[in-house]
Amino acid sequence: MSETSPAGSPDPTSADFDEMTRDIAEVPAVEVIVTVAVNLMSAAAVKLGLTEEGDKYKDLDEARKLVTALAGLLDASATEISSFHAAPLRDGLKSLQLAFREASIVPDEPGQGPGEKYTGPVYG
């Protein structure tokens, strides 16, 4: 078990923290960006009620934040990651944006949905 500081974060003086630092130093930036994007996508899907649990964890306010963060990350990193990585992430983002529109009782105007300030209006 790793040591933690009183605030609950890893203790930077522990051997485990040094090992984690070395490990992350070896990970290419593209891999970090893609991993974060996939985590945002997964969390957004849960908050949109798209998992086996369905509506149990559905929270459209939270989903909006996650989808917007994902869109911002993809927009900002578009020139840093190859289209090999970017294309499926953009497709996933669009699917989440459409799912959000479908789940909303009062849909946003085109261009006003989550992340659409980065992607432009999303249509089905």
Side-chain angles (χ1 to χ4, degrees):
M1 180 170 222
S2 67
E3 299 173 35
T4 58
S5 68
S9 59
D11 181 356
T13 61
S14 76
D16 288 343
F17 187 81
D18 290 340
E19 186 177 321
M20 287 188 318
T21 302
R22 277 192 303 277
D23 290 346
I24 199 73
E26 296 171 10
V27 178
V30 170
E31 191 173 324
V32 174
I33 293 167
V34 170
T35 300
V36 170
V38 169
N39 285 329
L40 287 168
M41 292 174 93
S42 298
V46 169
K47 296 298 185 176
L48 285 167
L50 302 176
T51 61
E52 289 180 11
E53 292 87 8
D55 289 347
K56 183 176 179 182
Y57 300 107
K58 189 173 184 177
D59 183 333
L60 294 183
D61 183 53
E62 291 289 302
R64 177 183 294 276
K65 293 171 188 171
L66 292 163
V67 172
T68 299
L70 174 62
L73 174 64
L74 295 181
D75 182 55
S77 62
T79 59
E80 306 301 327
I81 62 176
S82 67
S83 60
F84 173 79
H85 294 293
L89 294 172
R90 282 192 302 264
D91 290 345
L93 170 60
K94 182 176 180 182
S95 294
L96 291 169
Q97 289 171 311
L98 291 171
F100 185 93
R101 186 172 300 283
E102 225 176 85
S104 297
I105 295 170
V106 179
D108 296 312
E109 291 294 319
Q112 302 301 309
E116 291 183 8
K117 69 180 177 181
Y118 300 109
T119 64
V122 175
Y123 301 100

